[in-house]
Amino acid sequence: TKMVNQIAGTAKMTARQLRPRGGVLDGVMLVEDEVEYFWAPVPNSQYVVGYSLATPDDVHYRVPLEPVAHWAPTVHLTNYLHKLLDYKTLGDDLSRDDASIMQAAFAALDVREDGIFNGISYNGIWVTGAKSVITLAERSLCAPEKFTQYDLDDVLMPTAHEHLNELRDDPSRPGSCDDGAFLVDRAFADVELTLAVEEPWIARDMSGPSRSSFAITGLGTASGVFRFWPGYQLYRGFDPTVRPWYYAATANKESLAISTPYVAAAGEGIYVTISATIFEGAPSCEDSAALGHDGGCACADGSDCESGVCRIAGGASAATCTSARVEAVAMGARFYADFHARMHALTENSCSDEAATDATSTARRCYLVDAAGYAIWAPQFAALNIYDTRSFQSVPLARFEGRVFHELEKLGVFTRYTEILYQ
């Protein structure tokens, strides 16, 4: 009414937005944000100007703090970026002041230039199993508009390496973007916190049929930091939050998520990924209530929680709501060919490549699909072509079994959902 009558005002509400879930063919995800709308009349006209401001995270959530200086779990460890080739080329340039640092880093990484680690071929890409590595998305920098130029000028990698290692415990290091820091405070904290998982990752027993074909293990944070092992070079500005496995986990927060097949970011093969969400910690119901949330409060099931997830945390005796904010997603990527062979072996006594011809037929064609009806494992995926992504990436079951999918929809297994976008 105020807008119609050209009276200035504000209103707080929950806005529903559709955001990309990955590539152009991956569709969108529905996200709800608390926003505040403002509007005011344009003098001597019939128009009203309006705009909205998203509510900042640090108003309703706790901002992750970086560990104390000389934090015991990581004080003896070093952060390395994924740009293995740059460590080599910059170290070979003896005219640089940081050449010796780059040389030492490359030696510590023990790079496998043949692209093979633990019997797994990474298609000729240099790989290191000696250390975990990180990527930084553009928004991880205090000056994201300069990200590409920093990278092209060989400034990004050595500067980040210096700030994350030599200066990380220096009390004179700028702590925020306003003070002249290189990385935003949330990203800096995530780099240090995720470094604590490096040694457990490397110490794991990765032998056996269910583990040996996992190509990488990683942690992608909401701030745009991605730590993974074994490490190899990804493309410039890699952002974990737009990868298929990140979306799969955030769209299925209450359980482990399995992605549909997709081409790996470095092009080394076709992966299928298992991923799970890591929520912001919720130490007590009282603390969360003070911020307007229910994390840490008792619950019977997900419907009682703002996040939709009710679970028993480690060491707890009763179920509580998780925090609404997803801080990171943990993932493990496996080459699809090995995953397909494993699934075929597990189902070979129950399934076949043939379809039932009548009600008495014992033939069964089996599929593994996600909650949205996209095929994760299908007989048609037996031999995938990395250059034909449309044949396996985000393929709905209806493409293979239209009549069956129609019947499943009538039974309520899948629900048709449409959204009209006016913009």
Side-chain angles (χ1 to χ4, degrees), residues 178-239:
D178 291 339
D179 296 333
F182 184 68
L183 298 178
V184 299
D185 52 359
R186 187 183 295 271
F188 191 94
D190 286 341
V191 169
E192 188 69 4
L193 291 168
T194 59
L195 181 57
V197 304
E198 178 180 274
E199 291 181 321
W201 276 352
I202 296 175
R204 289 172 303 171
D205 178 9
M206 296 301 290
S207 60
S210 63
R211 296 186 179 185
S212 60
S213 61
F214 273 91
I216 62 170
T217 304
L219 277 172
T221 73
S223 67
V225 173
F226 180 48
R227 182 176 295 278
F228 62 108
W229 178 89
Y232 50 86
Q233 186 154 328
L234 296 177
Y235 57 81
R236 178 183 296 130
F238 177 90
D239 189 339

Side-chain angles (χ1 to χ4, degrees), residues 42-63:
V42 178
N44 303 316
S45 77
Q46 60 179 331
Y47 299 104
V48 173
V49 174
Y51 60 93
S52 66
L53 296 176
T55 302
D57 278 350
D58 54 5
V59 174
H60 294 283
Y61 299 94
R62 297 188 304 279
V63 177

Side-chain angles (χ1 to χ4, degrees), residues 177-410:
C177 292
D178 291 339
D179 296 333
F182 184 68
L183 298 178
V184 299
D185 52 359
R186 187 183 295 271
F188 191 94
D190 286 341
V191 169
E192 188 69 4
L193 291 168
T194 59
L195 181 57
V197 304
E198 178 180 274
E199 291 181 321
W201 276 352
I202 296 175
R204 289 172 303 171
D205 178 9
M206 296 301 290
S207 60
S210 63
R211 296 186 179 185
S212 60
S213 61
F214 273 91
I216 62 170
T217 304
L219 277 172
T221 73
S223 67
V225 173
F226 180 48
R227 182 176 295 278
F228 62 108
W229 178 89
Y232 50 86
Q233 186 154 328
L234 296 177
Y235 57 81
R236 178 183 296 130
F238 177 90
D239 189 339
T241 63
V242 299
R243 297 300 295 166
W245 50 266
Y246 196 99
Y247 170 76
T250 54
N252 302 277
K253 298 177 183 178
E254 72 284 355
S255 60
L256 287 174
I258 305 179
S259 73
T260 59
Y262 66 95
V263 177
E268 67 271 25
I270 299 172
Y271 283 159
V272 62
T273 298
I274 299 174
S275 56
T277 48
I278 299 175
F279 295 91
E280 176 194 48
S284 70
C285 184
E286 292 76 15
D287 287 346
S288 293
L291 295 171
H293 295 284
D294 58 10
C297 299
C299 56
D301 55 47
S303 63
D304 296 332
C305 306
E306 179 185 357
S307 67
V309 181
C310 176
R311 62 174 57 157
I312 299 177
S317 58
T320 57
C321 295
T322 66
S323 170
R325 178 180 172 81
V326 174
E327 287 289 351
V329 169
M331 57 83 75
R334 188 175 187 177
F335 281 108
Y336 182 79
D338 296 313
F339 173 78
H340 188 94
R342 179 67 172 163
M343 288 295 297
H344 188 273
L346 292 172
T347 60
E348 62 179 345
N349 294 327
S350 304
C351 306
S352 67
D353 291 339
E354 303 299 324
T357 54
D358 54 50
T360 63
S361 175
T362 59
R364 297 181 184 88
R365 196 150 56 205
C366 299
Y367 297 88
L368 178 64
V369 298
D370 64 14
Y374 290 100
I376 296 172
W377 173 73
Q380 292 87 344
F381 290 171
L384 301 183
N385 183 348
I386 196 172
Y387 301 107
D388 183 17
T389 58
R390 288 180 60 86
S391 67
F392 62 84
Q393 192 164 304
S394 298
V395 175
L397 176 62
R399 183 187 297 182
F400 300 136
E401 307 288 354
R403 293 180 60 185
V404 173
F405 195 88
H406 182 63
E407 293 299 319
L408 291 173
E409 187 179 353
K410 289 198 298 183

Side-chain angles (χ1 to χ4, degrees), residues 14-20 28-33 247 250:
T14 299
R16 299 170 72 243
Q17 300 176 330
L18 291 176
R19 297 179 182 172
V28 293
M29 61 184 293
L30 184 65
V31 177
E32 294 187 348
D33 283 329
Y247 170 76
T250 54

Side-chain angles (χ1 to χ4, degrees), residues 16-18 418-423:
R16 299 170 72 243
Q17 300 176 330
L18 291 176
T418 59
E419 183 88 8
I420 300 175
L421 296 177
Y422 289 100
Q423 56 270 55

